[in-house]
Amino acid sequence: MSAHLSLTTALLELPAYLRGIGVTTAGKLAAELGSAIGKVSPAEVTVEDLLLYLPFRYEDRSHLPQICDLAPGKSASVLVEVSLASSYPIRTRQGKQLTLFEVIGWDSTGRIRACWWNQPYLRQVFQPGRRVVLYGEWEFSSRARCYQVENPDYEVLNDETDDDVPETIHVGRCVPIYRKLGTFRTRALRTLIFRLLRALRDVPDDGLPDELRHGGGELPPLPTKLAALREVHFPEATEHLEAIQARRSPAHARLALEEFFLLTLALANRRRQREQAGEKAGMCVTEAIRERARQTLPFRLTDAQKRVIREIVSDLTGTRPMSRLLQGDVGSGKTVVALQAMIVAVENGWQVALMAPTEILVEQHWRSMTHWLARTPYRLAALTGRLRPSEKKAIRQALANHEVDIVIGTQALIQGDTAFARLGLVIIDEQHRFGVLQREQLLARGVSPDVLVMTATPIPRSLAMALYGDLDVSVIDELPPGRKPVVTAVRTNERRNRVYDFIRQECAAGRQAYIVYPLVEESEKLDVAAATAAAAQLQQEVFPTLVVGLLHGRLKSEEKDAVMQKFVAGEIHVLVTTTVVEVGIDVPNASVMVIEHPERFGLAQLHQLRGRVGRGAAKSYCVLMAPDGISPEAMERLNFFAQTPDGFAIAEKDLAWRGPGEMLGLRQSGLPVFRVGDLIRDADWLTLAREAAWRVWREQPSAPQTQHWLARAQRMFPMAMGGVH
């Protein structure tokens, strides 16, 4: 074995360092782990990547129960010796042929029975005389007169291939349990990780600045990197066992802080590169510009909007390009704030690009902007994928010739040869629906343009730090005057007719309603079919005297436009829709929203949907139609949502319940993948690491140590480092 095994050694090179690891095994391991952690090439997968594949739980095998200690209905690990193993066919009542594999094991206090369905290959594993640990939920069988378990996890202890590994890593201690990695089961992973940790000698402990490594304040002194890796895999310190199970031990802190620190440093570097990429778009604000902005305001600004506009104007007129995230709850008036920024940019001779994720949202912005700017000389254009090639070409030519001041578009803005004569301000709406690289592609079409990122999805602080750590944050935390909170209620099918009566009552008073259907089994076709069938049934049987409309994502753009124009004009009383209505539709006369199967939505998405009503003067309502048989946990979530109008409180709860990727409504490429840290559980560590990283970046951005950290961040978080023009 070579003495130079290091954390950066590629797994493909393991045969040169460890006996018993062949080229085929190393290649398979690198491929399986690379797939699990998102590395495209197996050649990029390193020893450190494997050592950061942490146990998902631990078993205390220092005092394994004996068979006589088992209890019915309780899960436990038990060590037995195999006395009999056999398989035999079983035919079900439906005539289906199954294979049952059965093992009889024993210890000094009794015997057990374990069985698996359709796994005859286990006969090669459970050979008589082998000692095995079985983990599962045990039941006592009066017929067999012993405890038995079905499809338990298992681990064979006396495997002859591990002569250089002591059996004490598998039993007689707190044992790490790993999720299966392709064909590699927990015991094989445990053995390999033990051998790697034993082979590592020198692991540089320079992944953190001294202020974090040495503890202080909220942190205890932290172990070295190598000690932390050994402790999280093979814990020895019994006083930390509870914290280790919860991934909150000093060893876990050491590893999680390094991830958070390197990510924040990468984000700080990305911002610095943007600021140094070229001369910023110069802007000033005169009294004439202020008067022009005042003339376009559709209503009086709230104090929160005024505060945010001051922050944005300070950035626009400053010496560094603006990099700002604007958060505001549904209906808080973010678009009006963006309008003021647009006016400043255009009055200073710059072009503005506003990119939104859907054509419906682009159309909503287009309607608002053309209305508000009707009395100005500004030239507006909309660029979407549905335009004819000749229309796209004409708009792109106008942008290149500075014959357009403000362009609103979808990803068509970053496709093809779209070029700007003088792009000075980039506004991205619903940023979480784009990846980091898409943002950077739009920025690259200007020369150090100012950037304003907007989202109506309230983002918890820890998630915002991970997603947008390179941006300053402004929050509109106040609703415009006259906006009333939406009354929200959870109802079950037994009250459905009363809900329909209420819709009739509201429509009779001159108002309108939405009925929203969720995605069904991840199939847009089924989604559309459910909504289409519901619309027909509602029109014919429930609301025969009202006009029921249908809106879904598979309609052609002109068909969507026609439906929405009728709904806005009041010609449609009840609009049956899929989640295409989530963003971009503003119908002040709509006062009721009924959401079918609300348990299939995340809380943040429900909050977005609820924001489509309550936009006018009338009192508005959101009814969550829970199905029969809904679980107590799902009902708890819906009741929490119904009682909570605060979007940020909802977002925090949604993050805790569903995790960051699902909470945002999609798995999107901008979200960093943490191997140890957790944005929910470890938000306090993220804050500490972020503060330390920004201090390092402000005080010593060019120091060799800082550059070393950035090189490590490049390997760990390439998305946070790349894409800077």
Side-chain angles (χ1 to χ4, degrees), residues 647-660:
F648 283 94
I650 287 169
E652 290 283 358
K653 186 69 75 173
D654 209 21
L655 181 63
W657 265 324
R658 297 201 301 155

Side-chain angles (χ1 to χ4, degrees), residues 600-667:
R600 295 183 182 172
F601 296 94
L603 297 185
Q605 195 176 22
L606 287 175
H607 187 63
Q608 289 283 301
L609 289 167
R610 178 167 61 182
R612 295 302 103 206
V613 294
R615 306 178 79 85
K619 190 173 183 178
S620 294
Y621 305 85
C622 178
V623 181
L624 309 178
M625 290 301 303
D628 297 330
I630 188 172
S631 72
E633 294 78 14
M635 185 60 80
E636 178 191 354
R637 291 173 63 247
L638 297 183
N639 286 327
F640 169 83
F641 173 77
Q643 297 161 13
T644 309
D646 183 349
F648 283 94
I650 287 169
E652 290 283 358
K653 186 69 75 173
D654 209 21
L655 181 63
W657 265 324
R658 297 201 301 155
E662 295 299 336
M663 178 224 151
L664 292 176
L666 68 168
R667 296 284 184 185

Side-chain angles (χ1 to χ4, degrees), residues 140-161:
F140 188 80
S141 169
S142 55
R143 182 179 177 183
R145 292 191 294 179
C146 68
Y147 278 98
Q148 62 182 24
V149 64
E150 190 169 317
N151 292 317
D153 291 337
Y154 64 87
E155 188 174 327
V156 179
L157 293 184
N158 46 344
D159 191 323
E160 296 176 359
T161 62

Side-chain angles (χ1 to χ4, degrees), residues 101 105 170 285 322-323 339 345 390 422 485 489 526 539 557 569 588 609 635 722:
F101 178 73
H170 306 300
V285 176
M322 174 170 68
S323 297
L339 175 72
S390 59
R422 206 161 183 259
L526 289 175
Q539 179 67 88
S557 295
L609 289 167
M635 185 60 80

Side-chain angles (χ1 to χ4, degrees), residues 58-70:
Y58 299 83
E59 282 185 13
D60 185 359
R61 295 184 182 172
S62 56
H63 303 289
L64 281 175
Q66 294 182 301
I67 292 174
C68 65
D69 298 323
L70 295 176

Side-chain angles (χ1 to χ4, degrees), residues 327-379:
Q327 289 196 77
D329 216 336
V330 177
S332 61
K334 295 180 300 301
T335 308
V336 171
V337 169
L339 175 72
Q340 304 301 293
M342 289 179 172
I343 291 170
V344 172
V346 174
E347 288 288 336
N348 278 272
W350 295 96
Q351 292 172 295
V352 178
L354 191 164
M355 186 165 73
T358 65
E359 292 190 1
I360 283 186
L361 190 49
V362 168
E363 291 155 9
Q364 172 73 32
H365 283 309
W366 170 257
R367 284 195 296 268
S368 300
M369 294 299 172
T370 52
H371 173 69
W372 292 336
L373 299 174
R375 293 192 294 169
T376 72
Y378 306 156
R379 298 161 296 182

